[in-house]
Amino acid sequence: MAERFKIQGGETLKGEVSIGGAKNSVLKLLAATILVKGSTKIYNVPQLTDVEIMLNVLSDLGAKYTYDKDEKSVVVDASNITSITAKYELVSKMRASFIILGALISRCREAIVALPGGCAIGERRVDFHIKGLEAMGAKIKIENGYVHAKAPKLKGTDIYLDIPSVGATENLMLASVTAEGSTRIQNAAQEPEIVDLANFLNTLGADISGAGTSEIVINGVKPESLHPAEYTTIPDRIEAGTFMAAVVATRGKALIKNVYPAHLTFFNDKLIKMGASIKLAEPTVIEVSCKNRLNSINFVTQPYPGFPTDLQAIAMTLLTTANGVGIITESLYENRFMQVPDLRRMGADIHQDRNHAIVKGVKNLTGATVAASDLRAGAALVIAALMANGESQVEKLHHIDRGYESFEYKLQKLGAKIMRYDDRDETSLLTKGVLNESRL
Ligand code: EPU
């Protein structure tokens, strides 16, 4: 069912919002559960379509799972893994399923995983994943769109990544947990989600150090020394940044609860430079507010701890009505300005030249019908609609549902006028009883 939001712009967001578990962490934790013969429990698992897809990948491999919606926990029982194939039907729905490659190699020493292909935001190659596994002794064939990896003996080695790729660091970390000897990943990604995966694996009995720095060392352990455990996912820093931006965009004031402020240092610093006020209300609560028109800033997206590419489209939306001209350089993806044509339709003045966008602040955006092209561009358009004069419609909500749990409910609680509709219908889905607040 195609769905859309109707949003009446101009409301000031106020109140408080609680942030869920990190999508980009929990997907990898779920993949990692198959390293263990037994039942592993993960808390703080958001109800997202991407999580559903990863659970389907696990169940296709023979694992059993139960999801407790109220507790927001998942138990995965991976006692029996009966297949080593991750099908194209699932991997093509969500690129992050490719992470199952490293987990399957660790558990079964063989894996057949569909190649994910490109996506809306860029080519998104997986060559570092493959080269790293080959360096560890895996024999890899690419056949019929699948990666077939065999690694009866996997040996630890030194691997240098040309770019600190999040996915490659995670796949190689997973593969090397039960390899012989030590694996050293140099120029490793340093994202909090990498640290979360390393902490989770260590809780299961792995021996990983250095996660969060550019050099991670994984000392291989015997598969039988891995054991089930319970673990809580870190909060989603991108969801937190999205809500902070929504509050700032509408010149509101709110408490953003269940966040790790240290994960947002770079983004917070930019918001402050734009004129927002950011205070630490409690160790995991940020108070964000903004009274006046924002000032323009320049920024470059970079691997963590730099400015996150996943908040680039959202920050661009803030610049559309800021005072002055802001220049954005997207350095991670070749095609991550998909939001630009729709923001222009809402009155933004944006000039794009390859991976640079020059945003000249206008006084106001105006409501329009726009469509999400990917997850973060979709969230950026919702924020633009909240800022705009008049009514907007944001279509293609399946992109937003991949990564934001109960997005409209959380925004409604902050005072936003946002409702979800079926594409063919004029009655909101909440009114029709198709949706209910229990999704909160
Ligand atoms: N790259 C290669 N070869 C590789 C791997 C990566 O050339 O083998 C390139 C990519 O093409 C890209 C860059 O390196 O240009 C960075 O890619 P990376 O591997 O770091 O990204 P990813 O693991 O595919 C994760 C997040 C993305 C987030 C990026 C960067 C998940 C599931 N996805 O992707 O999140 O943008 O890291 O921080 O963890 C999102 O949540 O909307 C999202 C896209």
Side-chain angles (χ1 to χ4, degrees):
M1 181 172 62
E3 293 174 353
R4 69 202 145 99
F5 285 143
K6 266 193 196 175
I7 300 167
Q8 189 64 41
E11 297 299 322
T12 299
L13 300 197
K14 284 186 185 140
E16 54 182 60
V17 60
S18 190
I19 301 305
K23 167 184 85 82
N24 288 347
S25 198
V26 87
L27 296 174
K28 326 303 169 58
L29 304 188
L30 287 171
T33 59
I34 68 160
L35 264 64
V36 171
K37 288 185 182 165
S39 292
T40 298
K41 185 165 186 178
I42 304 174
Y43 295 97
N44 209 18
V45 178
Q47 211 179 331
L48 302 169
T49 42
D50 273 10
V51 168
E52 263 172 53
I53 295 170
M54 185 54 88
L55 290 171
N56 288 339
V57 170
L58 298 181
S59 118
D60 233 31
L61 300 176
K64 309 236 176 306
Y65 70 85
T66 47
Y67 181 52
D68 184 329
K69 285 181 188 169
D70 300 325
E71 200 182 50
K72 296 226 181 293
S73 66
V74 172
V75 175
V76 180
D77 177 359
S79 302
N80 295 309
I81 294 299
T82 51
S83 161
I84 53 160
T85 304
K87 291 184 203 138
Y88 179 70
E89 295 88 280
L90 289 170
V91 180
S92 62
K93 276 191 192 152
M94 182 183 71
R95 290 184 48 87
S97 339
F98 194 66
I99 204 69
I100 207 69
L101 178 65
L104 272 172
I105 289 177
S106 218
R107 170 77 186 256
C108 307
R109 294 286 183 259
E110 187 173 357
I112 304 174
V113 178
L115 274 166
C119 76
I121 60 176
E123 196 185 355
R124 305 187 75 180
R125 298 178 65 192
V126 288
D127 49 331
F128 307 151
H129 306 230
I130 309 274
K131 280 186 200 141
L133 292 172
E134 282 176 337
M136 294 177 73
K139 298 274 172 272
I140 298 193
K141 278 190 193 161
I142 312 280
E143 287 170 332
N144 311 112
Y146 281 75
V147 176
H148 189 163
K150 280 190 191 170
K153 281 202 186 98
L154 208 58
K155 280 204 169 161
T157 186
D158 284 1
I159 299 166
Y160 180 85
L161 298 178
D162 287 349
I163 298 174
S165 154
V166 172
T169 303
E170 291 166 337
N171 244 334
L172 296 171
M173 228 159 69
L174 284 165
S176 50
V177 165
T178 57
E180 200 184 301
S182 294
T183 305
R184 193 152 53 127
I185 307 173
Q186 289 168 302
N187 199 27
Q190 301 176 39
E191 271 68 3
E193 294 76 22
I194 303 277
V195 179
D196 209 30
L197 178 61
N199 287 343
F200 177 58
L201 290 168
N202 283 341
T203 310
L204 301 178
D207 179 0
I208 303 173
S209 55
T213 74
S214 61
E215 185 172 301
I216 301 178
V217 177
I218 304 106
N219 296 314
V221 297
K222 292 211 164 15
E224 40 302 355
S225 63
L226 296 176
H227 49 79
E230 295 196 352
Y231 190 81
T232 302
T233 317
I234 55 167
D236 196 313
R237 64 195 166 98
I238 306 301
E239 187 195 5
T242 304
F243 279 98
M244 288 171 72
V247 172
V248 167
T250 60
R251 297 188 196 165
K253 182 174 181 176
L255 292 176
I256 315 291
K257 294 177 141 181
N258 188 29
V259 283
Y260 290 168
H263 293 171
L264 283 150
T265 308
F266 210 99
F267 184 65
N268 287 353
D269 184 60
K270 290 291 179 192
L271 285 184
I272 290 166
K273 288 206 170 91
M274 292 177 87
S277 156
I278 310 245
K279 290 184 197 153
L280 197 60
E282 285 174 40
T284 57
V285 182
I286 292 177
E287 185 193 270
V288 60
S289 64
C290 179
K291 285 196 185 119
N292 302 314
R293 185 179 182 191
L294 294 170
N295 303 311
S296 287
I297 49 152
N298 303 331
F299 68 88
V300 182
T301 62
Q302 276 169 338
Y304 190 86
F307 193 99
T309 173
D310 292 341
L311 288 171
Q312 175 263 111
I314 286 154
M316 177 185 280
T317 300
L318 296 182
L319 290 182
T320 58
T321 60
N323 194 11
V325 176
I327 303 172
I328 303 174
T329 303
E330 170 56 61
S331 70
L332 273 97
Y333 292 111
E334 57 273 27
N335 196 21
R336 213 177 192 181
F337 286 141
M338 302 285 284
Q339 70 279 9
V340 168
D342 277 322
L343 288 175
R344 281 195 195 122
R345 297 190 64 246
M346 299 178 78
D349 181 347
I350 305 169
H351 174 75
Q352 191 191 331
D353 181 8
R354 288 162 296 144
N355 67 328
H356 305 287
I358 300 161
V359 189
K360 194 172 164 202
V362 296
K363 269 209 153 154
N364 286 306
L365 296 181
T366 51
T369 298
V370 290
S373 52
D374 73 74
L375 169 60
R376 309 301 173 188
L381 293 177
V382 169
I383 294 176
L386 294 170
M387 290 159 67
N389 288 340
E391 186 181 278
S392 296
Q393 304 215 18
V394 180
E395 297 178 340
K396 300 202 175 163
L397 297 191
H398 59 279
H399 288 295
I400 296 176
D401 293 336
R402 285 186 40 217
Y404 291 94
E405 183 181 36
S406 308
F407 197 37
E408 72 268 31
Y409 295 131
K410 288 185 177 183
L411 287 168
Q412 281 164 8
K413 284 214 157 172
L414 288 169
K417 288 197 173 145
I418 174 169
M419 291 293 254
R420 184 182 288 248
Y421 289 78
D422 182 334
D423 254 0
R424 300 169 305 253
D425 206 335
E426 282 308 311
T427 315
S428 92
L429 292 174
L430 187 63
T431 315
K432 282 166 69 175
V434 176
L435 300 178
N436 59 56
E437 299 240 1
S438 70
R439 274 173 46 161
L440 267 178

